[in-house]
Amino acid sequence: MYTRYGSPQELQLVDVAVPEPRAHELRVAVRAVSLNGSDAEFLSGSPAYARMAGLFRPRRAFRILGSDVAGVVDAVGAEVHDLAPGDEVYGDLFEHFGGLAEQVCAPRKRWVRKPAGLSFEQAAALPQAGVLAWQGICREGGISGGARVLIVGAGGGVGAYGVQLAKHAGAEVTAVDGPPKLAFLRTLGADRVVDYTNESYAAPGEGYDLVLDIAGRRSVRELRRALAPTGRYLIVGGLLRNVLGAVVLGLVARLVRSKQSLGILPWDRDPRLVEAVAERVLEGTLRPPIDVVVPLERAGEAFSRLLRGEAQGKVVVTVGEGGSSRSAARAHPPG
């Protein structure tokens, strides 16, 4: 739990009441949680949009982070009839959080059954990052064979899935990140890897059909110049000025009837998309890019690795029987 914005040192391992599921909810005994950039943003309170958790300090409902969760159902609400205690599930609890605990309650609609072929760690690594990559590459990006794709910030969770999906679609992929992640990006199949600290990747005339900007640190105007005449730029997150810049430039492009398209990657949280990504894993065309796995009592280390930009793919925290030891945390605080 954390009660004020700041570094991973704000996280404390505490005892709170075991949550009781409401009529439409499941209570799940957590086995694994993967951390996302959104978890790190809510912890630090930065960028500004992360303060939706509370302007000056996080509201009670946000004080236990962790939204990509896999575990075992241990109680169901009165209106839930298609799942029962003992069933293995996973899902994206972004609106609810609470996954970094022994138990968590969330609405039935947020969960899907975990296939037997996925470990808890793999299942927890799928929902947010896998779905965003799927939408950016396959649905919104519409990538097919011969397309040229630039992924900025490719060494994290979304980017690592995105590289694999783009390559599977037959695209030529340029993956951008820092020096420690370049070898990792090559293992994912990237055709060209770029160290953003000393190499150019957004020169005018590059002709990318899709720029998937996960880092959101570079000028949108500059990246736009690297697009093909009919190219598309999608930003996932990053500096607020660049997120807003993508919206403004996208509106301008539509007003002048440009064939280029710019904007924020829309995030559809339909659980069926999680299952679609899982199918790719089960058939062997996609692998969950798991960087490190640590037990709950070392969650602060996992956050530190994420905040320092060192994670190569997904950082996973294990809980209870899924980890090396049991923890004292127990889901949402009372009230």
Side-chain angles (χ1 to χ4, degrees), residues 104-192:
V104 62
C105 290
R108 164 65 184 90
K109 67 180 181 179
R110 299 266 56 98
W111 303 97
V112 295
R113 290 181 183 272
K114 183 182 78 65
L118 291 181
S119 69
F120 286 115
E121 292 84 357
Q122 289 174 321
L126 282 177
Q128 190 177 131
V131 167
L132 281 168
W134 176 278
Q135 291 175 239
I137 298 297
C138 302
R139 190 164 77 177
E140 301 297 326
I143 292 305
S144 58
R148 300 191 69 228
V149 176
L150 173 68
I151 301 178
V152 185
V158 178
Y161 280 116
V163 171
Q164 295 179 76
L165 289 168
K167 285 303 300 176
H168 185 68
E172 177 188 320
V173 179
T174 297
V176 180
D177 217 304
K181 300 187 182 184
L182 302 186
F184 168 63
L185 293 173
R186 292 188 184 96
T187 70
L188 298 176
D191 297 284
R192 176 189 174 203

Side-chain angles (χ1 to χ4, degrees), residues 240-300:
L240 184 59
R241 65 173 180 268
N242 288 336
V243 174
L244 295 176
V247 174
V248 172
L249 287 176
L251 290 172
V252 171
R254 286 195 290 273
L255 286 172
V256 302
R257 298 185 179 181
S258 170
K259 292 182 179 180
Q260 291 182 333
S261 172
L262 299 92
I264 301 171
L265 174 64
W267 183 16
D268 184 347
R269 297 181 57 240
D270 186 337
R272 289 174 295 183
L273 295 178
V274 180
E275 294 179 300
V277 176
E279 287 175 9
R280 290 290 186 93
V281 176
L282 293 171
E283 70 186 19
T285 58
L286 190 66
R287 65 178 176 87
I290 295 177
D291 175 45
V292 295
V293 179
V294 301
L296 183 63
E297 56 267 29
R298 292 171 51 198

Side-chain angles (χ1 to χ4, degrees), residues 30-120:
V30 180
R31 295 291 179 262
V33 187
S34 76
L35 301 185
N36 293 298
S38 54
D39 292 295
E41 290 171 349
F42 277 104
L43 175 62
S44 65
S46 178
Y49 56 72
R51 296 290 175 125
M52 64 179 283
L55 184 58
F56 300 108
R57 61 175 58 227
R59 298 192 302 273
R60 187 176 295 272
F62 289 90
R63 290 179 183 176
I64 299 176
L65 295 169
S67 59
D68 283 4
V69 181
V72 180
V73 177
D74 74 356
V76 299
E79 297 175 4
V80 178
H81 305 293
D82 59 338
L83 288 170
D87 289 338
E88 296 180 349
V89 295
Y90 67 116
D92 171 8
L93 314 185
F94 180 74
E95 295 171 354
H96 309 277
F97 289 92
L100 286 169
E102 286 185 332
Q103 290 136 319
V104 62
C105 290
R108 164 65 184 90
K109 67 180 181 179
R110 299 266 56 98
W111 303 97
V112 295
R113 290 181 183 272
K114 183 182 78 65
L118 291 181
S119 69
F120 286 115

